[in-house]
Amino acid sequence: MGRQTVQAAPAQQLDYAAVRAAADRIAGGTRPVAVAPAAEAGVWYALEYLQHTGSFKARGARNFLAAHHEAGALPAAGVTIASGGNAGLACAWAARALSVPATVFLPANAPRVKVDRLRGYGAEVRLVGDRYAEALAACEGFAAGSGALSSHAYDHPLIAAGAGTLLDEIRAALPGLDAVVVAVGGGGLFAGIATAAREHGVRVIAAEPENCRALNAALAAGRVVDVAVDSVAADSLGATRVSADALAAAQEEHVTSVLVSDTAITAARRALWEEHRIVVEAGAATALAALRGAPEPLGERVAVVLCGANTDPRDLVAPTA
């Protein structure tokens, strides 16, 4: 298929106006976040794992495609992404919702359940090589040759702005919100939330595993840097570097970067199950681990974002005798 000429891409700047525009685009297409009280006084859980596809990623994917559709910048070849995780699922779901072809690249050894779920959303799945880097290279080659629109798991202003719509929904449910705690991987969710939070004077706690600290390391270096990844939460928070937008947001005064241990993450994930029968990914539990490890209260009204639940719950249930 030859490359197709389309209109110019939509504006790509992450600010509060972009978050508000995203809210208008995805309204009616995503699920408004539900909020529930936690065990701690003054703390609420933002149950974003109830979102379409099981994670917050649906917001950014829907905004990304809708914005390109508005601008007349969606090619006939559709959208493509290299991801077997939450981003790939969200991209496939959003493409189906907008009747856009989606081509998702994965390593050939990707779990069958992920491949089947992607196909269930109507995506064409292409299995290439045995490493993510090979799937990514094939995805980039496909985009260059077909003219398909390349999507990214987190490093795009439209993706981050879509994710940032979560903050205003939390504020609507919790008037007088003081702080929000959010886990950070590549930084799309964090950058969007921090952008909206700055507008309303809400403090943001950016939580990362000690050995998946792309944002924390970037803050220390004063620039985006590559980091090693080794954590129980690496499947969802294991980005080797954060976006430039995430670093810029983290350098604002209303943001605090916090590192938590894998032991604390595992304990928080189990606590959510034992106290509330909530099953989330280790990445989502990282936010609760940061709250429970805080040396002092974060405010009178604090929201902890439980951002995803695409996980195997079997390790949470004690075996019967």
Side-chain angles (χ1 to χ4, degrees):
M1 181 187 300
R3 192 175 181 89
Q4 181 190 17
T5 300
V6 296
Q7 299 294 321
Q12 299 179 3
Q13 178 178 346
L14 181 58
D15 53 22
Y16 187 60
V19 175
R20 294 306 309 152
D24 290 339
R25 287 192 195 99
I26 70 175
T30 54
R31 294 171 180 155
V33 69
V35 174
E40 297 88 348
V43 177
W44 284 261
Y45 295 137
L47 309 181
E48 184 63 1
Y49 64 89
L50 298 176
Q51 187 56 258
H52 292 288
T53 75
S55 88
F56 74 94
K57 296 282 190 181
R59 294 173 181 269
R62 185 67 181 250
N63 184 52
F64 178 80
L65 288 179
H68 281 84
H69 182 267
E70 285 178 2
L74 269 179
V79 63
T80 187
I81 191 171
S83 171
N86 290 340
L89 292 170
C91 181
W93 167 81
R96 183 183 68 175
L98 295 173
S99 300
V100 174
T103 305
V104 181
F105 287 79
L106 300 173
N109 57 3
R112 181 62 180 269
V113 64
K114 289 186 176 181
V115 173
D116 289 346
R117 193 170 177 196
L118 285 163
R119 286 176 174 155
Y121 283 131
E124 178 182 345
V125 178
R126 299 193 181 185
L127 303 175
V128 179
D130 58 4
R131 294 181 297 113
Y132 172 75
E134 293 173 275
L136 177 61
C139 179
E140 292 171 344
F142 172 76
S146 68
L149 175 65
S150 290
S151 186
H152 195 278
Y154 62 87
D155 194 2
H156 194 286
L158 289 169
I159 298 289
T165 60
L166 181 58
L167 191 279
D168 279 347
E169 291 182 12
I170 295 173
R171 288 184 61 250
L174 296 173
L177 181 69
D178 293 309
V180 61
V181 189
V182 59
V184 183
L189 176 61
F190 160 73
I193 283 182
T195 297
R198 181 177 62 240
E199 185 74 12
H200 303 292
V202 175
R203 183 181 177 193
V204 181
I205 310 303
E208 294 176 281
E210 290 175 339
N211 295 318
C212 279
R213 52 183 296 264
L215 179 64
N216 186 268
L219 281 170
R223 58 184 176 85
V224 173
V225 295
D226 289 329
V227 298
V229 171
D230 180 17
S231 169
V232 67
D235 60 337
S236 55
L237 302 184
T240 56
R241 58 169 45 203
V242 293
S243 67
D245 282 332
L247 175 57
Q251 291 170 327
E252 299 283 346
E253 291 184 359
H254 70 297
V255 174
T256 302
S257 172
V258 173
L259 299 178
V260 294
S261 69
D262 275 7
T263 299
I265 293 169
T266 300
R269 182 170 177 262
R270 180 165 291 279
L272 283 166
W273 167 250
E274 293 177 347
E275 296 170 9
H276 302 281
R277 286 302 187 256
I278 290 175
V279 179
V280 296
E281 302 166 12
T286 299
L288 179 58
L291 173 87
R292 293 194 165 181
E296 59 186 27
L298 300 178
E300 296 182 1
R301 288 204 156 199
V302 179
V304 178
V305 178
L306 302 182
C307 56
N310 290 316
T311 185
D312 187 342
R314 288 177 293 182
D315 58 345
L316 290 171
V317 181
T320 56

